[in-house]
Amino acid sequence: MAHDLFALVPDPPAIMAPRINFQAPVGATVRLWLYVDGVPTPEVTWMHRKRKLSAAVPDDKFPRKRVELLIQDVKKKDFGRYKCVVFNALGTAHIELALLGTSLSGRLRPS
């Protein structure tokens, strides 16, 4: 009988963001998302305009975990840069994502 064994090797946090710019019109719902990995599983904190929005531990499958920030009923004040900070006992990583405003026709509008 064969058994697959694997060992979790400690690893500092890492972020993979296939997109860094997200677009939404006022009133819409949008999800900013990215993938994180690391062992132990990193904690995640989102910030907008130097204000902490949420903290979470991703619960997706190993090795990469998708983490999201849900913004409902987007307002003009929601446009701008969002910082995602991930950390575990071995280190910290961060990235900035942007939420850009669009008109209902899909064209970018100034924020």
Side-chain angles (χ1 to χ4, degrees), residues 26-76:
V26 169
T29 295
V30 65
R31 294 176 195 271
L32 307 185
W33 60 273
L34 47 80
Y35 295 100
V36 301
D37 62 16
V39 177
T41 299
E43 292 186 43
V44 179
T45 299
W46 290 93
M47 300 180 75
H48 180 58
R49 299 183 183 185
K50 299 183 181 181
R51 189 172 58 97
K52 187 175 177 179
L53 300 177
S54 67
V57 175
D59 59 352
D60 216 355
K61 293 190 166 66
F62 183 83
R64 283 197 192 124
K65 297 119 184 110
R66 181 176 166 137
V67 294
E68 299 179 343
L69 176 66
L70 178 66
I71 304 168
Q72 297 178 313
D73 190 22
V74 170
K75 298 182 178 29
K76 281 183 125 180

Side-chain angles (χ1 to χ4, degrees), residues 99-110:
L99 176 57
L100 308 171
T102 60
S103 66
L104 292 177
S105 67
R107 294 186 313 200
L108 288 177
R109 52 193 253 191

